[in-house]
Amino acid sequence: MSSAQDLAMISEDALEDVIFPPGDLYSDEPPLETELHLRQILLLIQCLEWYWKERQDFYACGNMTVYYSPRQRKSEQFRGPDFFVVLNTERKTRKSWVVWQEDGKYPNVIVEILSDKTAATDRGLKKEIYQDIWRTPDYFWFDPESLEFKGFHLLDGRYQQLQPNEAGWLWSQQLELYLGIYQSKLRFFTADGQLIPTPEEVAQQEQQQRQQAEQEREQAQQQLAEMEAMLARYRERFGELSE
């Protein structure tokens, strides 16, 4: 029998018992449901990474597999949060999040982006896993189409639903930031209510400030020119001003 035939006879059950080396633990998440989901995840990552640009003690990512098998096996016990943040860890690129290679750390914050296909799982099974196994302190979900938005904080081992403030935002104790809906997108806000911008929004604001400063400079120059012209007409009519 050829070696190819030998390989063909290996059952899928046998493959599941193989312990994969750490270097093979790539993320294995399916494609996102829609462009809305992709843009929402990227928005959360970009905003948080810009806001915490001076920090090196966190990891934020999205649509990435988290492996958490007690037997340290890739083939069992893994989930892929749409967006998650791990605190007190090294800020570096990763192929996936492997709990047993990360000092046993699980995400501190998770946001699931609901869709028709995933909503039931996000509200049910995943919520139970994040509560009972991962012990993730802050869990949120958001539907980019219906704008359904809810959040939970782990208290005494159980998720307690968060109550929104007057603006409809929910407070994340772990991030020390609000999450709220702005222009139909889920965004971060500071404790004093300031929207955390994207890098592109920052660039636009800076450009607008430069344009405004240039306009003010031009107006000041025009006013000075008008004053000098008026003074010249006065001198022409009345002569030099006496001291």
Side-chain angles (χ1 to χ4, degrees):
M1 184 180 295
S2 68
S3 57
Q5 291 173 319
D6 290 336
L7 289 174
M9 294 181 63
I10 299 178
S11 68
E12 292 185 1
D13 291 339
L15 283 175
E16 288 184 356
D17 291 331
V18 175
I19 300 178
F20 290 77
D24 289 339
L25 292 176
Y26 286 89
S27 180
D28 189 25
E29 292 307 299
L32 295 168
E33 296 294 313
T34 67
E35 182 181 349
L36 281 176
H37 290 72
L38 173 62
R39 290 188 179 277
Q40 177 62 77
I41 293 171
L42 292 176
L43 181 61
L44 293 173
I45 295 172
Q46 289 176 339
C47 289
L48 190 65
E49 288 192 336
W50 180 87
Y51 186 64
W52 284 353
K53 56 183 176 296
E54 304 300 330
R55 292 180 53 169
Q56 300 298 322
D57 62 345
F58 76 98
Y59 181 70
C61 197
N63 199 41
M64 173 184 278
T65 305
V66 175
Y67 295 101
Y68 62 102
S69 166
R71 298 192 295 176
Q72 300 187 5
R73 295 183 177 183
K74 178 185 178 183
S75 57
E76 60 186 20
Q77 291 184 280
F78 53 88
R79 286 287 165 180
D82 289 329
F83 171 79
F84 68 92
V85 182
V86 183
L87 302 176
N88 301 314
T89 190
E90 185 179 359
R91 185 176 180 177
K92 65 179 183 179
T93 57
R94 292 168 169 84
K95 298 174 182 177
S96 60
W97 186 267
V98 186
V99 170
W100 60 87
Q101 295 176 4
E102 301 285 355
D103 299 324
K105 292 182 181 295
Y106 286 90
N108 295 76
V109 179
I110 291 174
V111 178
E112 292 289 359
I113 311 302
L114 302 183
S115 69
D116 292 340
K117 184 183 295 185
T118 67
T121 301
D122 293 335
R123 298 189 188 108
L125 178 60
K126 278 191 171 182
K127 185 180 175 213
E128 292 178 2
I129 291 173
Y130 299 156
Q131 171 187 269
D132 299 334
I133 301 176
W134 292 20
R135 301 293 187 184
T136 295
D138 291 345
Y139 176 45
F140 303 87
W141 67 57
F142 173 67
D143 189 322
E145 296 184 355
S146 70
L147 303 186
E148 176 187 341
F149 175 46
K150 289 187 178 181
F152 305 85
H153 179 70
L154 195 66
L155 183 64
D156 296 330
R158 305 293 296 176
Y159 274 141
Q160 304 297 320
Q161 186 168 337
L162 296 169
Q163 298 304 311
N165 66 3
E166 294 181 355
W169 305 342
L170 301 178
W171 179 251
S172 169
Q173 293 187 22
Q174 295 293 296
L175 300 179
E176 296 185 331
L177 295 171
Y178 282 108
L179 284 86
I181 300 173
Y182 175 78
Q183 296 182 345
S184 299
K185 299 290 191 299
L186 188 63
R187 301 291 297 266
F188 294 113
F189 299 84
T190 62
D192 59 359
Q194 298 298 311
L195 174 70
I196 294 178
T198 65
E200 292 78 11
E201 289 170 340
V202 172
Q204 291 175 358
Q205 292 172 0
E206 291 176 346
Q207 182 179 8
Q208 291 173 354
Q209 291 172 354
R210 288 193 297 269
Q211 291 175 345
Q212 182 177 354
E214 179 64 21
Q215 291 175 355
E216 292 174 353
R217 185 183 66 82
E218 291 176 354
Q219 290 175 356
Q221 288 179 340
Q222 183 178 356
Q223 291 173 353
L224 179 60
E226 291 174 353
M227 291 179 62
E228 289 178 344
M230 183 177 64
L231 182 59
R233 290 194 299 270
Y234 182 92
R235 287 171 175 167
E236 182 179 348
R237 183 174 180 181
F238 300 106
E240 293 292 336
L241 295 174
S242 59
E243 294 183 359

